[in-house]
């Protein structure tokens, strides 16, 4: 009597699991080297970025930054304590949510570069304008109705550091809020992760995040 032929095993779940592992691995490599996804948890960068936006961030070196660039950066040691953490399990879940673009990070921030190393940043002058190296800065990105800053300050940005501010000045906790802290609110340039290049979610806000031209300035004369 002829024996029935054995059917070859189907790849089944093993193939699906292998494909998933490979996809995750490739995604991890891409996100660690070229682009990453971040969740916007606050209104500090309105009107450019809204709470709940997911942005695609192009990883870039700090040497390529210009005044006016929007940057994502690691705030540990400047905006956040170096030992930030809530335990391994909670931290792992939070990191998974951040990696999936479902939640923000307690140590990652999005702000705009206002002062580069060596700059003197002052606010405000007699006309209520922010100045960099004695020149008034045009800031069309500031939230409508906000002033350049309700807090007065005059700072010189040290070598290797950045002065960063949010666009929604009345709601943004930024370099101004840390003037009395170690480092004076200045963020090390090497802490910059990259620049937002695309809003990818929600779909009705899908749009490129254009890199601005170097911030326009006008010479200040006689306080006018």
């Amino acid at each position: 009597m002829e024996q029935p032929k054995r059917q070859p095993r189907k790849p089944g779940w093993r193939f699906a699991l292998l494909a998933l592992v490979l996809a995750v691995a490739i995604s991890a490599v891409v996100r660690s080297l070229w682009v990453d996804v971040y969740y916007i948890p606050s209104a500090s960068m309105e009107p450019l970025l809204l709470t709940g936006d997911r942005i695609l961030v192009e990883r870039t070196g700090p040497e390529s930054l210009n005044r006016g660039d929007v940057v994502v950066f690691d705030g540990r040691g400047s905006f956040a304590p170096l030992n930030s953490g809530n335990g391994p399990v909670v931290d792992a879940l939070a990191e998974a949510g951040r990696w999936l673009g479902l939640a923000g990070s307690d140590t990652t921030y999005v702000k705009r570069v206002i002062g580069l190393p060596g700059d003197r940043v002052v606010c405000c002058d007699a006309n209520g304008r922010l100045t960099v190296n004695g020149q008034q800065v045009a800031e069309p990105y500031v939230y409508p109705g906000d002033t350049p800053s309700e807090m007065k300050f005059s700072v010189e940005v040290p070598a290797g550091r950045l002065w960063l501010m949010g666009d929604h000045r009345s709601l943004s906790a930024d370099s101004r809020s840390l003037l009395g802290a170690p480092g004076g609110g200045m963020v090390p340039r090497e802490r910059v992760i990259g620049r937002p290049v695309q809003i990818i979610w929600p779909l009705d806000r899908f749009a490129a995040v254009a890199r601005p031209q170097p911030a326009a300035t006008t010479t200040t004369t006689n306080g006018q």
Side-chain angles (χ1 to χ4, degrees), residues 193-214:
I193 297 168
R195 292 185 294 103
V197 293
Q198 185 82 29
I199 299 171
I200 60 174
W201 188 265
L203 292 179
D204 61 354
R205 285 183 43 74
F206 187 88
V209 180
R211 189 176 189 183
Q213 296 296 320

Side-chain angles (χ1 to χ4, degrees), residues 143-166:
Y143 189 82
D146 274 6
T147 62
S149 178
E150 295 179 359
M151 175 189 296
K152 293 184 178 181
F153 60 87
S154 177
V155 297
E156 184 170 343
V157 186
R161 299 264 175 165
L162 301 169
W163 178 264
L164 304 174
M165 297 171 68

Side-chain angles (χ1 to χ4, degrees), residues 64-115:
S64 65
L65 297 178
N66 298 322
R67 294 188 199 93
D69 281 345
V70 176
V71 294
V72 174
F73 63 97
D74 181 351
R76 288 175 294 178
S78 55
F79 278 45
L82 283 170
N83 62 346
S84 292
N86 299 300
V89 176
V90 175
D91 286 349
L93 291 174
E95 180 61 21
R98 189 210 65 78
W99 198 83
L100 293 170
L102 300 176
S105 167
D106 291 337
T107 60
T108 304
Y109 299 82
V110 183
K111 303 294 178 187
R112 191 179 296 274
V113 177
I114 302 299

